[in-house]
Amino acid sequence: MASTTHEAALSRLILDALIHPLFWKGMDLRYLGCNRAFARLAGMAPEDVVGLGDHEMPWRDLAEDYQRTDRQVLATGLPLAEFEERVRGVDGVDHWTQTSKVPLFDARGSVVGVLGTLVDVTAQREERLRRIELALAEGAAANRLLREQASEREAMERALAQSEMRLRTAVRGAHLILWSLDAQGIITFADGGGLASMGLKPEQIIGESIFELFAGEPKAVAQARLALSGVITTEVSTIASNIHYETRYTPVLDEQGRITGTIGLATDVTERVKAREQLEQELERTRAQLLQVERLATLGTLAAGVGHELRNISTVLNSLRTAFTEWAQTGVAPDAEMLAELGWACEHVATHGQHLMNLGRPGQTKVERVDLRELVSGSLSMLRTAGILRHVKVTFQSSAHPVWTQVSRTRVEQVLLNLLSNAADAVESVRGRPAEVRVHLSEDGDAGVARCRVEDTGVGMPEHVLASIFEPWFTTKPPGRGTGLGLPVVRNLLRELGGELTVESQPGEGSAFTFHLPLAPPPS
């Protein structure tokens, strides 16, 4: 329990360390959680935000705008990246944020929520508006000058030259590249500050073929060919392995509608790509933390059973201690049966401890060749030791020879412990027929897989339950008995190992979970 609390606290520290507000909502558009930076906007603690909708937040008059974009992400399953929106905090002050929203998927690829990040761009927006106003003012002054000097050709040419220079200065000062191609792919114009980051100058590439200049960048060449065929294209390309550009081509047509060339604009989006990669890494860390939560839940279940067994053994040891004390005081030799009972108790204490130590190892991902028969037998032994299979008849059928597979031992153990524990829980309330769990391990040489089938004679599941068992947080167990993460985690673990999990169930007849893993050649 202390370890679980530590993991939860660490997750919260990571979220609260982020300087930008972060939130996530469910399908009903109510908040499932947020970091401290987001909670400060609402003047609340993070835990007080959970369960609220935007209509209950300080920005309630903007709730419909926020939820419209939420619904778009949930409906399409596609992210909305870096759009500006207004946010009103608890202090009543309006801020402008650059907001990104991405869908959250469950293990089956279904959208289950939306994750959003906010970056305050109020200062940048005000500066941009100021620059626009300044540019408009400069443009107005230039227009007045042109009207005043309309009759003077030389003055008009000077004004045009100045305007062209300003445009070139603006393009060269920005992280972008502007160029044009003729119908054969020859560069007829090129400028922009992005050229310098590639070690190029306009005069070096004008007159060159884009197909020869970027022969080592097949994606850029393919996009240019597509553009010269008349297609408007937008692609994100990586140049020189570390520079990311969003490139857009627009065809140039003559009066008859024939293609005479194309104009390309490339914007440096390296920082955006890096931010997306960081977000994906953060999501992967969160998934790993959920995996550890489920592993600790399994360990807790076994530990509770082992604790009960150890109490029984302690009763035996206390009785033996009393008998040995009396024999020592009277000089009588210990009874052989009592000594054998002492040996049994010591052996069982050591077995219980070893099982807990094995399961409590950190989640190792080392892949090695293992015999699945050994893993199934070891998992059954752990559950018997913990008392979870005490009132269950368990049968295990397997081939006489090893069933080799190349996997992470600890991850397959977690899969087996989860499926076997679920089967034991399923038959707990069975009346009128045997409470039985059957495990069958086999090889399919044609398919190249090993199959393990875990059947129970429990109550079974109706179709509407079967449709939800792989959704995170879904559980049919009473409070305190299940996290709702077991089966989603198990299926993800198997898929990472190249396997799959399927289920069959009929109400009143029990359930059967079958997983397969790729076979490995036997050790040489």
Side-chain angles (χ1 to χ4, degrees):
M1 182 61 71
S3 178
T4 303
T5 303
H6 175 72
E7 293 288 341
L10 179 59
S11 298
R12 173 50 60 184
L13 285 175
I14 293 173
L15 289 173
D16 290 342
L18 299 175
I19 63 174
H20 298 307
L22 178 73
F23 68 86
W24 51 101
K25 299 178 181 178
M27 296 296 289
D28 59 356
L29 302 185
R30 290 189 173 272
Y31 289 96
L32 297 177
C34 68
N35 66 352
R36 195 168 297 280
F38 184 85
R40 279 198 296 270
L41 283 176
M44 302 178 182
E47 58 271 17
D48 295 333
V49 174
V50 176
L52 298 180
D54 289 306
H55 290 91
E56 302 166 86
M57 305 296 277
W59 47 79
R60 57 182 60 87
D61 56 332
L62 301 171
E64 289 301 323
D65 293 336
Y66 300 155
Q67 292 188 355
R68 183 171 61 254
T69 54
D70 291 340
R71 292 188 186 99
Q72 181 179 344
V73 172
L74 293 175
T76 64
L78 299 174
L80 286 177
E82 300 180 350
F83 61 95
E84 288 190 359
E85 62 180 5
R86 183 161 53 98
V87 177
R88 180 168 299 149
V90 70
D91 55 2
V93 177
D94 285 348
H95 302 267
W96 284 92
T97 66
Q98 189 176 72
T99 302
S100 294
K101 294 183 178 181
V102 298
L104 297 175
F105 297 95
D106 63 13
R108 298 181 303 171
S110 299
V111 177
V112 296
V114 58
L115 173 71
T117 59
L118 311 177
V119 179
D120 193 326
V121 294
T122 304
Q124 296 93 315
R125 179 184 174 87
E126 291 175 352
E127 175 62 19
R128 188 165 66 248
L129 291 175
R130 187 190 68 79
R131 290 183 179 180
I132 291 174
E133 292 173 355
L134 180 60
L136 289 173
E138 290 179 352
N143 287 333
R144 285 195 300 272
L145 180 62
L146 288 173
R147 285 194 300 269
E148 292 170 358
Q149 299 178 345
S151 61
E152 301 178 11
R153 181 180 181 85
E154 184 178 349
M156 288 180 62
E157 292 176 350
R158 278 201 306 270
L160 290 172
Q162 290 175 357
S163 179
E164 182 182 355
M165 182 56 66
R166 287 173 185 162
L167 177 59
R168 286 184 175 273
T169 301
V171 171
R172 290 174 181 175
H175 290 288
L176 55 83
I177 305 172
L178 181 65
W179 71 98
S180 62
L181 305 176
D182 65 14
Q184 286 71 45
I186 303 300
I187 301 172
T188 57
F189 169 83
D191 213 335
L195 285 172
S197 63
M198 299 171 62
L200 298 173
K201 295 180 180 180
E203 57 270 21
Q204 290 178 302
I205 63 175
I206 292 176
E208 298 290 333
S209 167
I210 193 169
F211 305 121
E212 296 179 3
L213 190 63
F214 291 99
E217 303 290 346
K219 190 174 181 180
V221 170
Q223 188 184 8
R225 292 192 187 280
L226 189 62
L228 288 173
S229 70
V231 178
I232 298 175
T233 70
T234 302
E235 296 280 352
V236 175
S237 304
T238 302
I239 305 297
S241 77
N242 61 351
I243 305 174
H244 303 278
Y245 280 102
E246 183 177 77
T247 305
R248 180 179 177 83
Y249 276 105
T250 303
V252 178
L253 307 177
D254 61 15
E255 294 179 354
Q256 286 74 39
R258 293 173 298 191
I259 299 172
T260 61
T262 185
I263 295 175
L265 175 64
T267 306
D268 189 337
V269 294
T270 302
E271 293 303 317
R272 187 198 309 171
V273 171
K274 289 181 179 178
R276 184 175 67 248
E277 291 173 349
Q278 290 173 355
L279 180 59
E280 291 172 351
Q281 292 171 2
E282 187 69 27
L283 291 175
E284 178 60 25
R285 284 193 290 270
T286 301
R287 191 196 68 81
Q289 289 169 358
L290 290 177
L291 173 62
Q292 185 63 10
V293 166
E294 172 58 20
R295 183 175 181 82
L296 291 174
T298 303
L299 177 59
T301 300
L302 291 182
V306 169
H308 176 76
E309 292 296 310
L310 290 178
R311 282 196 299 270
N312 293 337
I313 294 175
S314 68
T315 301
V316 175
L317 290 174
N318 281 328
S319 298
L320 292 174
R321 182 186 63 179
T322 301
F324 287 156
T325 300
E326 292 176 356
W327 289 336
Q329 291 172 349
T330 59
V332 177
D335 183 85
E337 184 177 345
M338 289 289 191
L339 288 174
E341 190 170 357
L342 176 62
W344 171 88
C346 292
E347 180 181 346
H348 275 64
V349 169
T351 300
H352 293 329
Q354 186 61 47
H355 284 167
L356 287 180
M357 288 176 65
N358 289 341
L359 189 61
R361 292 192 302 259
Q364 301 173 8
T365 57
K366 176 185 176 182
V367 174
E368 56 185 317
R369 183 185 285 105
V370 297
D371 181 1
L372 278 182
R373 298 180 311 162
E374 174 192 340
L375 294 186
V376 174
S377 298
S379 299
L380 288 171
S381 177
M382 275 192 253
L383 293 173
R384 288 193 185 98
T385 298
I388 293 175
L389 301 178
R390 183 186 297 108
H391 303 297
V392 180
K393 178 184 177 182
V394 179
T395 58
F396 174 35
Q397 294 181 341
S398 178
S399 60
H401 60 274
V403 180
W404 297 107
T405 185
Q406 196 86 4
V407 294
S408 164
R409 176 184 294 269
T410 56
R411 293 198 168 183
V412 176
E413 282 177 347
Q414 186 168 352
V415 168
L416 288 166
L417 290 172
N418 187 282
L419 296 180
L420 292 168
S421 297
N422 285 349
D425 288 342
V427 300
E428 184 176 354
S429 59
V430 167
R431 299 293 183 272
R433 64 177 186 275
E436 187 174 356
V437 173
R438 296 184 289 269
V439 184
H440 181 69
L441 181 62
S442 62
E443 293 180 274
D444 185 341
D446 294 335
V449 297
R451 286 192 175 88
C452 183
R453 183 179 178 89
V454 179
E455 302 177 359
D456 65 68
T457 59
V459 297
M461 293 177 284
E463 288 187 9
H464 73 276
V465 172
L466 276 176
S468 303
I469 59 173
F470 292 114
E471 296 178 6
W473 317 115
F474 178 84
T475 180
T476 58
K477 297 180 182 179
R481 291 289 299 275
T483 64
L485 293 174
L487 288 176
V489 167
V490 162
R491 188 165 69 169
N492 282 341
L493 287 176
L494 288 169
R495 287 177 173 176
E496 289 176 2
L497 295 170
E500 188 54 271
L501 175 66
T502 58
V503 58
E504 305 166 43
S505 186
Q506 290 292 332
E509 297 182 11
S511 303
F513 287 83
T514 303
F515 70 85
H516 70 256
L517 289 168
L519 286 171
S524 55

